[in-house]
Amino acid sequence: MLIEIKDLNFRYNNSKVDTLRNFNLAVDAGEIVCLLGESGSGKSTVLRLISGLEEPNNGVIKLNGEIIVDNKTFIPSERRGIGVVFQDYALFPHMSVAENILFGVKNKSSKYKKEKLAQLLKLVGLEGLHDRYPYQISGGQQQRVALARVLAIEPSLILMDEPFSNLDASLQSRIREELKDIIKKTAITSIFVSHDKEDAISIADKIVVLKDGKIIQQGKTKNIISNPASDYVAALFS
Ligand SMILES: Nc1ncnc2c1ncn2[C@@H]1O[C@H](COP(=O)(O)OP(=O)(O)OP(=O)(O)O)[C@@H](O)[C@H]1O
């Protein structure tokens, strides 16, 4: 089990209601999981708790068998080895593609960096574009730079917030395939957030349906589609 989340509860300080209630999730190494739900259902909050941007009120999160959060442990974000791809990609505009990709690679020889860069550019299909700046490449290419930048730090888990929402609708199906291919090639475990069933169906091995901060169904993608546990879930996939 790569990540295991048990009985997570969370409420933002200024909120009167629980944002997440009894959130449980277990993800195997190499799996792609989609957190699917309407706006405000708590999807991004789950990513914030896993990455360490928020601390739960109670619950346990284990990564690679090690507790990163419980009632007496809180490993800070930078020591969790988790990579996050933000919705807007958050590339540094004044840095080239190569500089963006290598940004988090510290204390390594220039030979290592050169090889790492070549390997990642090849993986994400951006060979020849290393000298460009973010404004000189397309949205889909920017997304691949953001993914390569996260892969460069060799995380054990990648979190992605709405990875397709900034892309042209006509590009989305191609980019979904590309992203799935890249992630499967690296065999890295990933959890992504979406409100779009098509994202979930085409990429995820497992889907977690969230509503009002609660999981209403989770399971293998094909099982959820063929066996929805409620009218709500059936309607989501209709
Ligand atoms: N910093 C905050 N302080 C208080 N409440 C917050 C904060 N951030 C989010 N919330 C509330 O927590 C709930 C869950 O928000 P969250 O962003 O996790 O949902 P989401 O499913 O990711 O939504 P979206 O798809 O719109 O991004 C919402 O009701 C939201 O208003």
Side-chain angles (χ1 to χ4, degrees):
M1 200 63 64
L2 188 105
I3 184 157
E4 220 178 329
I5 303 177
K6 284 222 170 99
D7 300 326
L8 211 59
N9 282 282
F10 177 73
R11 179 184 290 202
Y12 285 103
N13 278 338
N14 53 359
S15 176
K16 290 197 175 69
V17 292
D18 291 340
T19 312
L20 281 181
R21 256 174 294 163
N22 299 331
F23 187 92
N24 287 277
L25 175 67
V27 183
D28 284 326
E31 263 186 327
I32 305 179
V33 176
C34 176
L35 303 178
L36 182 68
E38 300 166 347
S39 178
S41 56
K43 308 179 297 290
S44 305
T45 303
V46 174
L47 297 194
R48 293 177 66 79
L49 287 159
I50 297 173
S51 63
L53 291 173
E54 305 288 350
E55 198 170 344
N57 301 106
N58 51 278
V60 181
I61 306 179
K62 281 187 190 172
L63 183 65
N64 292 311
E66 245 182 77
I67 293 175
I68 55 171
V69 176
D70 69 6
N71 58 5
K72 45 185 192 307
T73 318
F74 183 81
I75 307 284
S77 286
E78 64 278 10
R79 289 187 21 228
R80 291 189 184 188
I82 295 175
V84 184
V85 179
F86 295 98
Q87 197 167 354
D88 61 359
Y89 316 138
L91 298 179
F92 302 110
H94 58 290
M95 289 186 192
S96 66
V97 164
E99 288 165 337
N100 265 287
I101 292 176
L102 290 175
F103 180 77
V105 182
K106 309 279 185 218
N107 306 319
K108 298 282 186 194
S109 66
S110 48
K111 179 168 176 279
Y112 175 93
K113 288 188 187 176
K114 204 174 153 195
E115 285 172 6
K116 190 83 193 162
L117 177 65
Q119 179 205 339
L120 287 168
L121 286 169
K122 182 159 185 255
L123 176 73
V124 300
L126 293 177
E127 292 139 305
L129 298 187
H130 57 282
D131 281 339
R132 299 260 186 107
Y133 285 85
Y135 71 89
Q136 295 172 317
I137 58 178
S138 71
Q141 290 168 335
Q142 289 177 24
Q143 186 198 50
R144 282 182 274 155
V145 174
L147 183 62
R149 182 175 63 182
V150 160
L151 292 171
I153 59 168
E154 299 180 352
S156 56
L157 174 68
I158 290 192
L159 307 176
M160 290 180 280
D161 200 349
E162 295 276 3
F164 308 101
S165 63
N166 274 331
L167 299 170
D168 207 300
S170 63
L171 274 178
Q172 284 186 357
S173 66
R174 182 164 63 82
I175 305 266
R176 281 189 195 116
E177 289 305 311
E178 284 175 6
L179 187 74
K180 182 173 183 175
D181 263 16
I182 295 168
I183 295 173
K184 285 292 179 193
K185 264 187 210 155
T186 58
I188 200 156
T189 314
S190 50
I191 300 178
F192 77 100
V193 152
S194 181
H195 62 273
D196 184 343
K197 65 170 179 179
E198 297 299 337
D199 291 345
I201 294 169
S202 52
I203 302 188
D205 300 311
K206 188 188 253 179
I207 296 176
V208 178
V209 181
L210 267 179
K211 186 172 188 291
D212 302 329
K214 281 183 292 189
I215 294 179
I216 52 172
Q217 190 174 358
Q218 65 170 307
K220 296 272 179 206
T221 302
K222 60 176 186 317
N223 294 346
I224 290 212
I225 295 167
S226 59
N227 206 1
S230 60
D231 291 348
Y232 180 83
V233 177
L236 260 186
F237 291 101
S238 64

